[in-house]
Amino acid sequence: MDHLAENAAARQRVLDLVRGMSEAQFRAPIYGDWTIGAELAHLAFWERSHLARLRRALAAGETAPAPLPDGLADIVNDAALPGWREIPGTAALALFDAAARAYDDYLASLDAPTIEAVRSGGAPRLVERFRHRAEHTDAIERGR
């Protein structure tokens, strides 16, 4: 699997789906309290968070960061959602685009043994960002 191509394609799929939307479209609920803008802000946050985790672990000589404690992501999402909903959609889109590109660029700078070590170290989704991006793009498509 070419994680770089898959990640880039998933990033582009998000951008193609939401680019040109109005603020009203970004703020329309798609499920529960989630909006398209909140989905984008969520994606940007987790791209930055996981990139920071991966960079720190590799700099410390670890093969992958420790897994997040069970339930922590849900707690963070619940706590952050009201703030994410307040971010204008075009700003959330820009945040996602910048965060995803930074992550993709970082992964492109790593050699194949490092990538494989992250995968085999129990953190394949830190390399395969397309999986998280696709989950939320699918949610946006269903909710539009």
Side-chain angles (χ1 to χ4, degrees):
M1 158 191 344
D2 182 352
H3 66 282
L4 296 176
E6 295 278 352
N7 290 344
R11 182 185 70 237
Q12 192 61 49
R13 181 177 167 223
V14 173
L15 298 174
D16 290 346
L17 182 62
V18 302
R19 196 172 271 141
M21 284 187 172
S22 68
E23 281 302 318
Q25 289 172 303
F26 281 122
R27 292 190 179 283
I30 55 173
Y31 60 91
D33 290 334
W34 287 85
T35 64
I36 293 172
E39 287 279 344
L40 294 169
H42 162 93
L43 283 168
F45 172 84
W46 286 109
E47 293 285 320
R48 293 281 185 202
S49 296
H50 291 315
L51 174 56
R53 292 177 58 231
L54 182 58
R55 276 188 169 144
R56 179 173 284 186
L58 295 179
E62 300 167 6
T63 57
L68 295 175
D70 286 344
L72 180 61
D74 292 331
I75 291 168
V76 170
N77 289 336
D78 290 346
L81 180 57
W84 290 337
R85 287 175 52 94
E86 294 301 316
I87 299 171
T90 53
L93 175 57
L95 288 170
F96 164 73
D97 190 21
R101 285 178 191 279
Y103 207 143
D104 291 354
D105 289 348
Y106 179 71
L107 290 174
S109 77
L110 301 176
D111 60 25
T114 300
I115 294 294
E116 187 50 40
V118 173
R119 280 191 173 120
S120 63
R125 286 178 64 103
L126 294 182
V127 171
E128 300 163 3
R129 297 309 302 150
F130 63 89
R131 297 187 188 286
H132 187 234
R133 295 172 190 175
E135 291 167 4
H136 292 282
T137 310
D138 292 347
I140 292 168
E141 284 181 329
R142 283 190 305 272
R144 283 184 19 164

